[in-house]
Amino acid sequence: DNNIELTSSMAVAAALVILVSWTVPATLSSWKSAVKTWDKLTQPWQNFTDKMENAVSALESPSGGKRGEFFGSELALGRGFPLSNVVMFEVEAPDLPVTEGPPRYYWRGRTYDYFSKGEWFTTGTEREEYSPSTLNPFKVAIQETAPARFIFNTGDSTFSLLYSPSQPVWISRAGITFSLPTDTGGDMIAWHAYPSLKSGETYQVEAVLVNPNTGQLREAGSEYPDWVKNKYLQLPDNFSPRIEQLAEEITADAETPYDKTVAITQYLRTNIDYAATVPNPPRNRDTLEWILFEHKQGYCVYYASAEILMLRSLGIPARMAVGFAQGEREGNNYTVRRLHAHAWPEVYFPGIGWVEFEPTGSQPLLNRPLPPRDPSETDQLGPQGALQIEDGALFASREQELEEGLDPTLQVEETNSLYLYLGLVLVALSGAAIYFGRKYSIERKFPRILRSTIERTGFKAPKWVLHWESWGGLSQVERAFESINFGLRTLDQVIPAHNTPQERARKLTSLLPQMSDQIKVLLDEHQTYLYTSRVADVVQARNAAFNIRRQVIIERFRYLFYGKPMRD
């Protein structure tokens, strides 16, 4: 064990120095000569302590970076993050409305492109000095909306690596940039302040916020620039054929790079359990292969590495990004602690750029917005999406039926018989689906197969099919927590996509104060499942969810009968 060897070496060296200090001759002719002798004798110790200081600093960084840095030029699979409640930085986004923005933010520090022998590296970068007088050094495409401003207030750490949303165009601190040459200017790898930021200092970032919808991502295609293909399709020597085959099996029914990426993301979230620590794999075993097929546990670096390499094996460019997850949000203010350190995959889409995905099971789902609906499909839809029938349309239809000699009564009887027949068929199909789903574990596979079958016919999959597929990828605790969203929707509350689970639970509590204890129980179990290594109590979460849904339905009926919700 390297840690044991390091500790033993330091202890032995300390003992030698103590021994030397006691054996320095006491009869030296002068203090000056004694000092020279001491310096000469202790010089090896000074050299040794310098090396040990660097080594200990490297251990503090999961990627072997400089002292004080959280991430460095390398990222090893088996080296976890030094997590704690220490505040890394706080972020203010004063220019953004609270109700708008991406699904959530990632504060990216740097990226890696090359994977070999269980470690990620950055290769072929260009180093340039940066001055705040320079705007948009990497020629980021600025869309119609102006870049958003973010103010970072450093916590108790001293560091030089600057964190920002994914596409910064300006930073207020002078320093050094590292980038990969591209056809348009440069692809940012890392941005360092010089001199380093000290505790309590502030820097500002202007960044372009891009949140493509699923339609744009599906239509992006696979015409990748040469610089992307040359850099971000690398696979390690002797890459595991089992992992490559698994990637092909997972994406067998997916047609676009986006759909393949989503399929792999969902597979990892569903089949790999989150664990804060991972033991060393058996000797002479491929680490990722062992994680995917046997151990089936890991933390963010394992999740992201597996997804990136599987995507690359399918010809989809991807890279490793590290930094911090969004952190604790209150309005447009974010508190980011060391425990929010995170690694995630970024996938390249032509015409869009790098897009984050979230395979780590302990992190909330990252849902991209759906494409806007075709106006022609919503001509008869009201504000809530319900079919609107103009006044008098039903009466005109009945008069036309009588003129054509049709008997509406017979039609009603035939329609009722048809509905009864369809109802029986649906009941039978539902029973068969439940039986075979439990027997052959097709609960997660069937909706995906159904969606693919519908889309291959040229039609869009109905929303209920997409929701079913998404539901199949949720854990039991996540399904129970959906009762919170169900309650808000049923009580006619708007749910912004970026709202955190805490914000949603707080909103429902304000509507149903009598259910505050049950909502807290469900939220606690949900947080336990997402953010800790402890096992959540599924039974307790289900019971709380059942009680919440029951009260929501009661409240809805009261609203229908009394015109407004009633409180117990």
Side-chain angles (χ1 to χ4, degrees):
D1 190 326
N2 292 335
N3 292 338
I4 296 176
E5 292 177 1
L6 178 61
T7 304
S8 301
S9 300
M10 295 177 69
V12 171
L16 289 174
V17 170
I18 293 172
L19 178 62
V20 169
S21 66
W22 280 99
T23 56
V24 173
T27 59
L28 294 174
S29 59
S30 67
W31 177 252
K32 184 176 180 180
S33 61
V35 171
K36 289 182 178 180
T37 302
W38 176 255
D39 290 341
K40 183 177 180 180
L41 289 171
T42 58
Q43 186 60 48
W45 168 252
Q46 295 295 334
N47 296 336
F48 178 79
T49 54
D50 289 342
K51 293 180 180 179
M52 288 303 102
E53 186 179 55
N54 293 336
V56 172
S57 298
L59 286 177
E60 183 179 325
S61 167
S63 49
K66 297 179 180 179
R67 186 181 185 186
E69 292 296 338
F70 209 91
F71 301 101
S73 58
E74 301 172 4
L75 181 71
L77 275 183
R79 189 178 296 162
F81 299 138
L83 305 180
S84 69
N85 282 318
V86 173
V87 174
M88 193 71 182
F89 49 81
E90 296 177 341
V91 187
E92 302 173 34
D95 299 336
L96 294 180
V98 176
T99 57
E100 296 182 9
R104 67 172 175 273
Y105 292 111
Y106 289 85
W107 315 113
R108 190 176 70 191
R110 65 175 301 124
T111 63
Y112 306 92
D113 61 89
Y114 191 87
F115 185 78
S116 178
K117 297 180 181 180
E119 289 192 75
W120 284 97
F121 304 89
T122 305
T123 62
T125 58
E126 291 186 348
R127 181 181 185 275
E128 297 286 343
E129 293 187 0
Y130 170 77
S131 168
S133 62
T134 303
L135 179 64
N136 199 7
F138 303 116
K139 305 296 187 294
V140 174
I142 299 179
Q143 310 296 330
E144 296 179 359
T145 56
R149 181 167 57 105
F150 297 84
I151 303 171
F152 286 74
N153 303 295
T154 62
D156 299 328
S157 302
T158 297
F159 55 90
S160 69
L161 181 62
L162 298 176
Y163 299 91
S164 70
S166 62
Q167 298 194 70
V169 297
W170 177 80
I171 291 184
S172 64
R173 295 294 295 256
I176 298 169
T177 63
F178 294 87
S179 63
L180 178 70
T182 69
D183 300 334
T184 58
D187 190 31
M188 191 194 81
I189 302 300
W191 203 317
H192 286 263
Y194 184 80
S196 298
L197 292 165
K198 296 181 180 179
S199 175
E201 290 192 321
T202 298
Y203 68 95
Q204 295 189 34
V205 176
E206 290 186 0
V208 173
L209 303 181
V210 177
N211 188 26
N213 62 51
T214 56
Q216 293 170 323
L217 293 170
R218 282 196 174 97
E219 296 169 0
S222 57
E223 296 296 325
Y224 304 111
D226 289 338
W227 66 270
V228 172
K229 292 186 292 185
N230 294 338
K231 182 64 67 172
Y232 296 106
L233 290 176
Q234 175 266 340
L235 289 170
D237 295 337
N238 303 318
F239 180 62
S240 168
R242 291 185 68 190
I243 297 179
E244 186 171 359
Q245 181 180 359
L246 176 63
E248 293 175 352
E249 292 175 356
I250 294 171
T251 60
D253 297 323
E255 296 182 356
T256 68
Y258 170 73
D259 292 325
K260 293 179 181 180
T261 304
V262 170
I264 290 177
T265 301
Q266 290 288 3
Y267 177 87
L268 293 173
R269 292 183 64 90
T270 303
N271 292 276
I272 305 300
D273 294 328
Y274 178 81
T277 59
V278 175
N280 292 328
R283 289 176 60 86
N284 301 321
R285 292 294 305 276
D286 181 284
T287 302
L288 288 178
E289 185 177 292
W290 176 70
I291 290 287
L292 288 171
F293 295 101
E294 295 180 33
H295 190 63
K296 293 185 177 295
Q297 292 184 358
Y299 49 85
C300 57
V301 179
Y302 292 93
Y303 281 97
S305 298
E307 174 153 334
I308 293 165
L309 297 180
M310 282 198 282
L311 289 173
R312 290 183 175 187
S313 72
L314 300 172
I316 301 174
R319 68 182 183 184
M320 171 70 77
V322 294
F324 292 85
Q326 178 168 278
E328 302 161 7
R329 177 177 182 176
E330 185 175 351
N332 276 346
N333 297 322
Y334 306 86
T335 300
V336 182
R337 306 178 187 274
R338 284 195 166 212
L339 58 83
H340 298 127
H342 193 42
W344 62 91
E346 293 185 341
V347 183
Y348 189 87
F349 292 87
I352 297 175
W354 294 105
V355 177
E356 306 98 338
F357 285 83
E358 188 51 84
T360 302
S362 63
Q363 293 289 327
L365 284 169
L366 180 60
N367 295 319
R368 294 287 167 187
L370 296 173
R373 299 182 65 172
D374 186 344
S376 64
E377 298 178 358
T378 59
D379 289 344
Q380 293 182 311
L381 297 181
Q384 304 300 325
L387 181 62
Q388 302 295 309
I389 301 177
E390 295 181 1
D391 292 340
L394 292 180
F395 297 101
S397 175
R398 180 176 178 86
E399 291 175 359
Q400 182 179 3
E401 290 172 353
L402 293 174
E403 290 176 359
E404 294 176 353
L406 301 177
D407 187 344
T409 303
L410 293 177
Q411 284 190 322
V412 169
E413 292 177 356
E414 292 176 358
T415 301
N416 290 339
S417 299
L418 178 60
Y419 285 160
L420 177 61
Y421 173 75
L422 290 176
L424 293 174
V425 170
L426 288 175
V427 170
L429 289 176
S430 300
I434 294 173
Y435 172 78
F436 288 107
R438 291 180 176 177
K439 185 173 182 179
Y440 299 107
S441 300
I442 63 172
E443 178 184 10
R444 297 185 178 116
K445 298 179 181 178
F446 184 75
R448 175 164 55 86
I449 295 173
L450 178 61
R451 175 185 56 78
S452 300
T453 302
I454 294 174
E455 290 178 347
R456 285 177 180 176
T457 63
F459 294 95
K460 291 183 179 179
K463 282 188 176 181
W464 65 268
V465 174
L466 299 177
H467 291 161
W468 187 11
E469 182 180 9
S470 176
W471 179 262
L474 299 179
S475 68
Q476 296 297 325
V477 175
E478 289 173 315
R479 291 182 181 183
F481 189 79
E482 280 299 306
S483 63
I484 301 292
N485 298 325
F486 166 79
L488 293 173
R489 288 193 301 268
T490 303
L491 299 177
D492 298 331
Q493 299 298 310
V494 177
I495 313 176
H498 58 75
N499 270 16
T500 64
Q502 295 96 322
E503 291 170 329
R504 297 178 186 220
R506 191 182 305 121
K507 179 64 175 177
L508 187 60
T509 300
S510 68
L511 298 172
L512 302 174
Q514 70 271 33
M515 299 303 295
S516 59
D517 292 342
Q518 295 294 311
I519 294 173
K520 184 179 185 304
V521 167
L522 183 54
L523 178 63
D524 289 344
E525 296 304 325
H526 187 250
Q527 300 291 75
T528 297
Y529 169 78
L530 291 179
Y531 302 118
T532 72
S533 58
R534 294 184 289 110
V535 177
D537 191 330
V538 175
V539 174
Q540 194 170 9
R542 284 177 173 174
N543 290 339
F546 175 79
N547 293 332
I548 292 170
R549 286 178 179 267
R550 180 181 59 185
Q551 188 61 38
V552 166
I553 293 172
I554 292 173
E555 197 76 9
R556 186 62 184 177
F557 273 107
R558 286 175 171 174
Y559 178 81
L560 292 175
F561 284 105
Y562 295 99
K564 62 179 181 179
M566 295 180 62
R567 305 293 181 224
D568 289 335

